[in-house]
Amino acid sequence: MGTLFKNGTIITASDMVQADLLVEGEVITQIGRDLPVSGHLVVDCTNKYLMPGGIDVHTHLELPFGGTVSNDDFDTGHKAAAFGGTTSHIDFVIQPKGGSLHDGLTAWRKKAAVAQIDYGFHLAVTDLRPEVLDEIPSLVAEGVTSLKLFMAYKNVFQIDDATLYKTMQVAAANGMIVMVHAENGDVEASLTPKLLAEGKTDPIYHSHSRPREIEGEATNRAAIMSGMTGCPLYVVHVTCEPAVEAIRRARAIGYPVMGESCTQYFFLTAEGDLGKPGFEGAKYICSPPIRTEHDQAVLWQAVKDGTLQHVSTDHCNFWYEGGVGPWQDWAKQYNGGNWVEFEAQDPTYRRPGKELGKGNFAKIPNGMPGLEERMMVMWEHGVNSGRFSPQHFVEVMCTNPAKIFGMYPKKGALTIGADADIVVWDPNLKHTLSVSNTHMRTDYIVYEGMEITGKPVQVYLRGQKVVDGDEWLGSNGSGKFIHRHPHAPVL
Ligand code: DUC
Ligand code: ZN
Ligand code: ZN
């Protein structure tokens, strides 16, 4: 017996058609008009859209960072993602300094034992010793085909240009893709102490410490190296005009450069949000910082014209007021790339959050929640507002990330043989986003009060229903690792 999705409108990256869709086992086996219902469980999709499960290639679940650990893990984060229509994501494994890439992988595999949705791993290289350079090709056989390099976070994750260049050479030779966090960390490290010495300690000064120019410069530097090495480059969390222009220029001369922005950069501004009274602005601190309305317009245009191919979240949430979170033994292993002993398991432990940076913006943990809302806010402000078509929405949120990161057409497509990751989307359902109804482990959201029309009503992961309205039907361990392929296309 299969599951027959009847009378819905199927949206793919290229088409919007009325058709039935049959799922048998974990995959889609038939798509067509008036498929016979006999023997199948029927899901009536009248007035509903069917789209591939969303893919978010940029998350940080349970990341030890900034003196604490990000709140959502492979349990809570996964449920929240699925309630919002995302069924696959790729998280960043961090190589511990002094350790191997596989040490990082081992730690992340442990975290993912509770997975509820499907996931992949990128590997963030923080310490490129000769043996680590030699280790890179072995990742491909493990289904890890993307490397990440931080050009910022001096003395924590930041690498130098030689590391970037050498990594790109090895990646190119092995069909891998390199991702960069593009900000000039040396300039940031010069600006920050000066601001603090001048008494400029409020959250708004975070944006002064990381101006648009240092993002544009680093993006351009990485893009040039991509052209020189022939290594596909994917610039994460692009926020502003100088970075978009660097990518556009590189693409125009044929360099294999791609990029994404993240939901928050289309909606939040430094002036309006980081500049909120008191310490409130801490909620909106992420790096690179949120920018201006002008930059938002540039980003919408870049997604529309294909300069940027994906919108992810950089989901990395920390308590605003601090909170009590479960303590995991594995988190003792490292923090910010260094081996550190955390406090022992203690039920009264209060996991620190944004308050770590009261009186010093540089100590506010960087990151915010967003994994659950991504599809809904981009549908509302992308599709409902007429900025792009439903097909383009699917292309950007589901299909492009699957292609770029070597998991298409198993993921990111409603096609015969693809994994039956299906979102039944009600385009008429109204909803108000609020911390009171979120599934993320957070005490605030950044879209509080935003009204949206269109949201998932049912979500299927490889044929299994995991979300039914407000009900969670998935289980720990049901999420599978996505073994990705090298030599993915450059879009
Ligand atoms: N930026 C953030 O805001 N959080 C996590 C890491 C990053 O680069
Ligand atoms: Zn980053
Ligand atoms: Zn990130």
Side-chain angles (χ1 to χ4, degrees):
M1 185 179 81
T3 305
L4 183 61
F5 296 81
K6 254 209 139 353
N7 306 319
T9 299
I10 296 176
I11 308 177
T12 67
S14 54
D15 295 300
M16 196 164 165
V17 289
Q18 220 165 355
D20 300 340
L21 183 154
L22 181 66
V23 172
E24 290 171 290
E26 296 196 338
V27 297
I28 298 167
T29 54
Q30 284 188 58
I31 298 174
R33 293 232 176 211
D34 303 321
L35 295 182
V37 298
S38 60
H40 300 308
L41 178 72
V42 174
V43 180
D44 180 16
C45 298
T46 307
N47 298 326
K48 306 284 188 302
Y49 294 151
L50 296 179
M51 39 174 118
I55 299 176
D56 183 346
V57 305
H58 191 158
T59 61
H60 301 283
L61 297 181
E62 218 165 3
L63 174 72
F65 187 48
T68 184
V69 181
S70 64
N71 273 350
D72 273 312
D73 54 26
F74 281 69
D75 178 40
T76 59
H78 279 190
K79 287 185 205 153
F83 273 110
T86 292
T87 54
S88 301
H89 75 113
I90 313 184
D91 207 73
F92 290 91
V93 171
I94 312 283
Q95 175 204 5
K97 282 198 177 150
S100 69
L101 303 177
H102 280 80
D103 290 339
L105 258 186
T106 303
W108 254 255
R109 282 179 178 144
K110 231 167 160 181
K111 292 203 254 183
V114 294
Q116 304 259 14
I117 63 169
D118 288 357
Y119 61 93
F121 293 136
H122 309 291
L123 226 142
V125 178
T126 61
D127 183 12
L128 191 73
R129 306 182 309 277
E131 65 271 26
V132 174
L133 195 62
D134 292 344
E135 189 188 358
I136 288 174
S138 69
L139 294 173
V140 174
E142 313 230 26
V144 176
T145 55
S146 40
L147 302 165
K148 160 90 173 278
L149 295 163
F150 288 89
M151 301 170 79
Y153 296 121
K154 200 166 171 61
N155 300 323
V156 183
F157 297 143
Q158 186 175 328
I159 47 79
D160 59 14
D161 289 348
T163 296
L164 179 54
Y165 189 73
K166 285 186 208 162
T167 304
M168 280 184 163
Q169 285 179 314
V170 173
N174 289 278
M176 301 173 86
I177 180 169
V178 163
M179 311 164 81
V180 285
H181 172 131
E183 286 184 292
N184 186 321
D186 289 331
V187 176
E188 179 276 322
S190 307
L191 291 172
T192 297
K194 190 163 179 292
L195 288 162
L196 293 172
E198 289 166 0
K200 295 175 175 167
T201 58
D202 288 347
I204 183 67
Y205 294 107
H206 174 71
S207 65
H208 295 221
S209 72
R210 309 178 91 110
R212 297 153 86 236
E213 290 77 6
I214 72 169
E215 184 183 337
E217 184 279 324
T219 304
N220 187 59
R221 191 165 15 120
I224 299 289
M225 289 198 216
S226 162
M228 290 172 72
T229 58
C231 179
L233 172 70
Y234 181 89
V235 184
V236 300
H237 49 42
V238 172
T239 72
C240 61
E241 190 166 39
V244 168
E245 286 309 318
I247 294 172
R248 200 170 268 139
R249 267 197 314 275
R251 289 171 66 82
I253 52 175
Y255 289 179
V257 178
M258 298 170 280
E260 63 169 31
S261 189
C262 307
T263 336
Q264 56 271 25
Y265 298 114
F266 296 85
F267 299 99
L268 306 175
T269 62
E271 203 184 343
D273 296 293
L274 280 179
K276 281 188 174 153
F279 191 61
E280 183 88 5
K283 291 178 178 174
Y284 309 96
I285 284 202
C286 59
S287 292
I290 51 176
R291 306 287 188 189
T292 64
E293 283 180 12
H294 173 74
D295 291 302
Q296 291 176 357
V298 169
L299 293 178
W300 282 112
Q301 178 56 33
V303 173
K304 199 170 169 171
D305 67 26
T307 304
L308 299 179
Q309 295 75 32
H310 179 48
V311 177
S312 70
T313 59
D314 198 7
H315 179 83
C316 187
N317 56 327
F318 300 97
W319 297 116
Y320 177 56
E321 300 285 2
V324 177
W327 198 242
Q328 307 278 337
D329 277 339
W330 66 264
K332 289 182 196 169
Q333 293 172 340
Y334 53 87
N335 182 27
N338 292 311
W339 297 90
V340 170
E341 271 295 307
F342 275 92
E343 295 166 47
Q345 184 124 12
D346 171 2
T348 64
Y349 178 77
R350 181 178 170 280
R351 181 180 285 181
K354 298 279 185 180
E355 78 284 355
L356 284 170
K358 276 195 176 147
N360 181 347
F361 71 82
K363 291 196 170 156
I364 298 170
N366 282 205
M368 63 177 77
L371 185 48
E372 183 165 0
E373 303 107 324
R374 182 184 68 116
M375 300 280 277
M376 294 179 277
V377 299
M378 292 309 287
W379 180 270
E380 176 65 28
H381 292 272
V383 179
N384 289 346
S385 75
R387 284 188 169 103
F388 38 72
S389 66
Q391 293 94 312
H392 189 57
F393 173 86
V394 167
E395 187 176 27
V396 168
M397 309 302 275
C398 317
T399 310
N400 282 351
K403 288 181 176 170
I404 295 168
F405 290 98
M407 47 186 164
Y408 181 85
K410 183 177 162 68
K411 299 293 186 191
L414 294 182
T415 183
I416 290 167
D419 279 0
D421 298 341
I422 298 169
V423 178
V424 182
W425 187 271
D426 183 345
N428 299 308
L429 192 57
K430 291 186 185 304
H431 179 65
T432 304
L433 299 171
S434 171
V435 67
S436 63
N437 57 34
T438 185
H439 298 87
M440 299 180 291
R441 185 186 280 153
T442 183
D443 53 359
Y444 75 99
I445 67 167
V446 301
Y447 309 105
E448 187 66 41
M450 185 189 282
E451 292 178 2
I452 52 115
T453 303
K455 85 186 278 287
V457 284
Q458 291 186 10
V459 178
Y460 292 77
L461 176 71
R462 284 179 279 99
Q464 290 299 309
K465 199 196 300 184
V466 292
V467 170
D468 192 359
D470 293 331
E471 204 181 344
W472 178 252
L473 302 172
S475 56
N476 287 126
S478 300
K480 278 192 191 163
F481 175 70
I482 306 166
H483 185 107
R484 296 181 290 118
H485 303 294
H487 302 287
V490 173
L491 302 184

